[in-house]
Amino acid sequence: MRMADVVIAGAGPVGLLLGCLLAGGGAQVLLCEARTGPDERTRAIGIHPPGLAALRAAGIEDAVRAEAVALERGEVHARGRMLASVPFGAARPVLALPQPRTDALLRGRLHELGGELRTGGPVSGIRRTANGVVAVTADGGEHPASFLIAADGVRSALRAAEEVGWTRRGHPAHYAMIDISDDGGPLVACIHCEPTGLVESFPLPGGRRRWVIRRTDREPVTARSFTETVLARTGTAIRIPDGDAPVSFTASQHRADRIVRGRVVLLGDAAHETSPIGGQGMNLGWSDAVLLAPRLLDALARGDDDLGDLHRRVTRRAARAQRRSAFYMAMGAPASPPVQVAREALIRSLGARPARGAAARLVTMGGL
């Protein structure tokens, strides 16, 4: 068996980006992915400045910018009034690109750099050796390496195999979303913090827009109920094509009790689940990869497993991101009249000129 320097379990955007960083640094990298083909689901779309910096380090910033749309600003509305408008721009760019295209660009870059991707065989077990680990895949393969990175998502089988605790932070909330054709209006992210719940919409490439609503019950969301909710809360009529259906999801937040166990490291959603409200999850995972890559390369050069202060730095930043996501979810929760009035006053203050720079920094993941 040929020994890799690093085996990465999971070829989502975070695992792929780490693979690019390591391969670019001269490491022998093998990614093992359960799916046999690309994941075509449109999941994460937002790319904030920390994520863009990670893509730059991987060598695909220009390719991403060529396909993405750059948002001009974010607006917050409630009860028919605009409460705040936060500009983005060159200093704090926010891009939107469907995850399948981001993944495709990362896969192409990994191939250019000589990284290896094997599909159809997820890592299902770990065996430790005197100087490394062996990743055991579900198809019977065994892949020795100096390090194993578990980037296998929120329901990480490897985190469970390592018996690492998974602690909930805060309370979950329920949403539904759909991507549909848009009328080609301004490239503005619109957030409606209404008394009956949140509505968000974000521009996408190709004249499309993502719509997100907060669900007030656990009943299935249909195309009809989705459009009725958007109209009732915002006064905007949208049309969902026949045959398309919204996707429901639950926004939860968790953190792993340990990030590093010797030569096994949790990365991205396997290490921390961050609510997608606010668009931080993928970008946070990419930033983790930027922290991890040089530590891995240094450890490989030394021949040891010392990754320094990785656990402390990853968990500290995850905690900050989760606090921000909890705040975003609270701003979009159904609210009584007194709470709604107070919430609108807070949003207005954040959008006022003295605080506008700080608000822009907050929503573009500044300080993480």
Side-chain angles (χ1 to χ4, degrees), residues 92 280 324 327-328 350 357-366 368:
R92 298 184 181 90
Q280 298 181 112
R324 293 183 186 188
F327 172 74
Y328 300 146
L350 290 173
R361 189 167 181 267
L362 176 71
V363 300
T364 58
M365 297 183 67
L368 293 180

Side-chain angles (χ1 to χ4, degrees), residues 20-110:
C20 291
L21 296 176
L22 293 175
Q28 298 278 338
V29 182
L30 169 64
L31 280 79
C32 298
E33 168 58 37
R35 292 184 177 85
T36 56
D39 185 357
E40 296 297 338
R41 296 173 295 173
T42 300
R43 303 173 74 183
I45 59 172
I47 301 174
H48 294 296
L52 196 60
L55 296 171
R56 183 181 312 128
I60 64 166
E61 178 189 9
D62 290 344
V64 168
R65 284 183 179 272
E67 293 197 26
V69 294
L71 276 59
E72 298 170 4
R73 63 185 183 277
E75 294 179 354
V76 184
H77 300 254
R79 296 190 289 178
R81 294 167 292 180
M82 186 169 72
L83 305 179
S85 178
V86 178
F88 300 136
R92 298 184 181 90
V94 177
L95 310 182
L97 184 67
Q99 184 176 320
R101 285 304 308 152
T102 306
D103 284 357
L105 293 170
L106 284 166
R107 284 182 181 230
R109 181 60 174 161
L110 180 72

Side-chain angles (χ1 to χ4, degrees), residues 321-346:
Q322 289 174 340
R323 286 194 294 270
R324 293 183 186 188
S325 288
F327 172 74
Y328 300 146
M329 288 196 291
M331 290 296 99
S336 64
V339 171
Q340 181 69 20
V341 170
R343 184 164 70 186
E344 291 176 11
L346 174 58

Side-chain angles (χ1 to χ4, degrees), residues 163-199:
E163 298 182 345
V164 174
W166 187 235
T167 304
R168 171 171 284 176
R169 309 286 171 169
H171 301 287
H174 309 290
Y175 300 85
M177 71 177 187
I178 194 166
D179 297 347
I180 58 176
S181 295
D182 190 35
D183 61 3
L187 298 177
V188 175
C190 294
I191 301 170
H192 293 260
C193 297
E194 303 296 338
T196 53
L198 177 79
V199 175

Side-chain angles (χ1 to χ4, degrees), residues 282-349:
M282 180 174 67
N283 293 269
L284 186 63
W286 282 340
S287 294
D288 290 351
V290 171
L291 277 177
L292 174 58
R295 287 168 169 77
L296 283 173
L297 293 171
D298 287 348
L300 289 168
R302 294 190 308 266
D304 62 31
D305 63 357
D306 183 9
L307 299 179
D309 61 350
L310 181 73
H311 173 84
R312 180 182 64 83
R313 294 191 65 180
V314 167
T315 54
R316 183 175 63 186
R317 295 196 312 176
R320 289 179 185 169
Q322 289 174 340
R323 286 194 294 270
R324 293 183 186 188
S325 288
F327 172 74
Y328 300 146
M329 288 196 291
M331 290 296 99
S336 64
V339 171
Q340 181 69 20
V341 170
R343 184 164 70 186
E344 291 176 11
L346 174 58
I347 294 169
R348 282 196 189 92
S349 68

